[in-house]
Amino acid sequence: MNAPAPTATVGLTGLAVMGRNLARNIARHDHTIAVHNRSPEKTTALVEEFGDEGDFVATESLEEFVAAIQTPRVVLVMVKAGDPTDAVIDELVGLLEEGDIVVDCGNAHFTDTIRREQALTGHGLHFVGTGVSGGEVGALEGPSIMVGGSDEAYERLGPILESVAARVDGEPCCAHVGEGAAGHFVKMVHNGIEYADMQLIAESYDLLRAGVGLEPAAIADVFAGWNEGELESFLIQMTADVLRHTDAGTGEPFVDVVADAAEQKGTGRWTVQSALDLGVPITGIAEATFARSLSGHTEQRAAAREMFSTTSEGDRLSTDSSDDDFVDDVRAALYASKVVAYAQGFDQIAAGAEEHGWDIDLGEVARIWRDGCIIRARFLGRITEAYAEEPDLTTLLTTPFFAEAVKDGVDAWRRVVAAAAQGGIPTPAFSSSLAYFDGLRRERLPAALIQALRDNFGAHTYRRVDREGVFHTAWAGDLSESEQ
């Protein structure tokens, strides 16, 4: 008896929340999808509950799963990053045929994607690292999708992913951002910017509550108002929603019953580690990552509270402005700092593309981030325009729109950082972003002294401003200078 002909145009294995919702999204868009999970109960539950949304082919084994997909096969893998992903890929390799496409839609480290692509290429298979942003709601209703891999693979895969992505002005928030691991690299930096964005929002909340004395519900109204202007974004709206929420059990503001120790899954650390390797300063993202780490060191924080006096909640900041004026200063500082965070993130993407030979269109990246992803924001359209006008842009901060925004906000930015420092309210993301801005615009930095010290203790040489060449001074001898 012959096996039944394959009917699915795409397959997806891994039916946790993200995988299940993405499978439903694909089925809703008229694709017949084969679904598989290591625990068959999840496959059965998906089809029983949502089978009327589209054409699902439920399978129990990987062999049955692979056999159900039309060739060249497109297999989406939605399992936990790391060893679980490797285990699934290893099983699939023995079942797939030359020309089939394996798509890792998880938050993989881009170096793992490079390794996996090289390994699968040796088997005649395409491996595509794909960033999917938007959380469980985005997976179901339309995510932002950053696809890596080969042009050939995207020809087969692209129409499927574009059909399920979020859309802005009729355009899908999905693109082939570059070959190799470009998709996962871009998604990693996206998540790094997300870290900075959330830290800046949290610092704004802290300034308005601890420094000005506003209650969460009132701060929610402030954020809702900001969301109607230049700061309009998914995270700003979410912040207003969270701050309005009251805990059902205690009647307290929900934010007050949540432990103040932020967790992380690793993408922020990866972003910072990569930036260090590339020599790209992403100060806002780095400080946001370290702030999460600090929040988790609860024993150290408790010891420090016992030793040092602290600002009590409700103590007001000492400022020369009214509360309303200070709230507006925080808004301006938040906007300027967000511009810095995005500018640094795009700098890192450009550096990563150059390092690895990926042809990444930065304007296209901004375009597909306009909806579906966590960091979607009004000004992403401006970033797209900036790179369209100047593809080799040195930094977003010098484009007319963003330069004007920073100039308009810099005085408020300084007032906020100064007031926070005087009041003992930590603002690592605000402060580091301002320091980065000041460092960029300074004619001369004290790095000249650092380089002279390096030459003094380690003969690391230096360059001069008045003539070409590399030089060393005999610091332990007669202080003569020689060209190296």
Side-chain angles (χ1 to χ4, degrees):
M1 182 176 178
N2 293 329
T7 58
T9 54
V10 59
L12 187 150
T13 179
L15 298 177
V17 175
M18 283 288 290
R20 180 186 64 187
N21 282 2
L22 186 59
R24 291 174 59 196
N25 188 355
I26 292 170
R28 287 176 174 184
H29 285 85
D30 300 323
H31 301 286
T32 300
I33 180 168
V35 288
H36 167 269
N37 194 77
R38 191 171 294 275
S39 303
E41 296 81 10
K42 287 191 176 182
T43 308
T44 302
L46 168 65
V47 176
E48 286 181 351
E49 190 172 356
F50 303 109
D52 60 349
E53 293 184 343
D55 292 327
F56 295 93
V57 181
T59 64
E60 292 192 3
S61 67
L62 270 181
E63 291 82 359
E64 183 184 358
F65 170 70
V66 169
I69 308 169
Q70 298 172 1
T71 58
R73 298 177 183 87
V74 173
V75 178
L76 308 182
V77 178
M78 291 288 288
V79 300
K80 187 176 180 180
D83 291 342
T85 299
D86 281 326
V88 170
I89 291 171
D90 289 344
E91 288 187 65
L92 284 170
V93 165
L95 301 172
L96 298 175
E97 300 174 9
E98 186 173 344
D100 288 348
I101 305 165
V102 178
V103 187
D104 178 8
C105 296
N107 272 332
H109 196 297
F110 75 94
T111 57
D112 286 340
T113 303
I114 293 173
R115 169 178 58 80
R116 289 166 182 153
E117 184 185 36
Q118 292 172 345
L120 266 65
T121 298
H123 291 279
L125 302 172
H126 296 281
F127 184 77
V128 179
T130 297
V132 179
S133 179
E136 58 184 87
V137 174
L140 180 61
E141 299 180 358
S144 173
I145 308 177
M146 296 142 264
V147 187
S150 67
D151 292 334
E152 183 181 351
Y154 193 77
E155 287 180 13
R156 171 80 172 90
L157 174 64
I160 298 171
L161 296 183
E162 289 176 12
S163 71
V164 304
R167 304 187 85 81
V168 174
D169 299 330
E171 295 181 334
C173 294
C174 171
H176 182 210
V177 298
E179 295 197 349
H184 275 151
F185 186 87
V186 169
K187 176 58 162 59
M188 177 192 73
V189 176
H190 164 284
N191 285 22
I193 296 172
E194 180 185 309
Y195 274 52
D197 215 340
M198 285 193 283
Q199 178 65 26
L200 289 166
I201 287 171
E203 291 177 16
S204 299
Y205 155 77
D206 199 19
L207 287 162
L208 298 182
R209 189 170 191 188
V212 179
L214 297 182
E215 291 299 315
I219 301 174
D221 292 339
V222 170
F223 275 91
W226 289 352
N227 197 52
E228 295 176 1
E230 60 195 4
L231 280 169
E232 179 189 352
S233 70
F234 178 63
L235 284 172
I236 294 289
Q237 179 58 59
M238 282 186 65
T239 301
D241 294 341
V242 168
L243 292 175
R244 283 199 185 100
H245 184 48
T246 300
D247 178 57
T250 64
E252 297 294 321
F254 178 72
V255 71
D256 287 347
V257 303
V258 177
D260 63 334
E263 298 179 358
Q264 51 186 307
K265 290 188 174 180
T267 48
R269 290 195 300 269
W270 297 346
T271 308
V272 176
Q273 289 163 354
S274 167
L276 288 171
D277 291 338
L278 293 168
V280 178
I282 55 166
T283 55
I285 296 171
E287 289 297 342
T289 305
F290 289 132
R292 290 199 191 186
S293 298
L294 174 63
S295 74
H297 285 274
T298 54
E299 292 184 1
Q300 291 181 343
R301 292 171 56 199
R305 282 195 301 275
E306 291 183 10
M307 177 60 65
F308 307 105
S309 61
T310 61
T311 302
S312 300
E313 188 169 322
D315 285 359
R316 300 170 68 83
L317 290 175
S318 176
T319 69
D320 295 329
S321 58
S322 67
D323 286 355
D324 287 343
D325 286 341
F326 187 73
V327 169
D328 197 53
D329 277 355
V330 173
R331 177 202 57 77
L334 174 58
Y335 188 62
S337 298
K338 278 169 66 77
V339 170
V340 168
Y342 280 74
Q344 291 178 344
F346 277 88
D347 287 347
Q348 184 173 1
I349 293 173
E354 182 176 0
E355 174 76 12
H356 297 283
W358 303 322
D359 185 16
I360 299 179
D361 183 335
L362 298 179
E364 183 76 342
V365 170
R367 183 190 69 77
I368 65 173
W369 285 352
R370 290 181 301 165
D371 200 2
C373 73
I374 303 301
I375 65 171
R376 56 187 183 266
R378 174 185 290 189
F379 69 24
L380 281 162
R382 295 287 191 175
I383 296 177
T384 299
E385 293 171 4
Y387 282 109
E389 293 173 3
E390 192 177 346
D392 296 326
L393 186 63
T394 302
T395 170
L396 278 171
L397 291 175
T398 59
T399 63
F401 177 83
F402 291 110
E404 196 63 32
V406 172
K407 287 178 183 177
D408 288 346
V410 70
D411 290 340
W413 201 1
R414 297 192 191 286
R415 288 193 293 268
V416 167
V417 170
Q422 289 286 346
I425 296 177
T427 55
F430 274 144
S431 302
S432 63
S433 298
L434 178 59
Y436 171 83
F437 167 72
D438 284 334
L440 275 186
R441 69 183 188 83
R442 187 79 179 273
E443 183 175 355
R444 274 186 66 79
L445 293 170
L449 177 58
I450 293 172
Q451 196 61 16
L453 291 170
R454 292 181 73 243
D455 186 60
N456 189 317
F457 69 71
H460 292 297
T461 72
Y462 53 88
R463 295 182 183 275
R464 298 177 59 95
V465 298
D466 54 355
R467 62 181 185 269
E468 294 294 323
V470 176
F471 301 89
H472 167 64
T473 292
W475 299 100
D478 61 2
L479 296 181
S480 62
E481 181 181 75
S482 60
E483 187 168 3
Q484 302 299 296

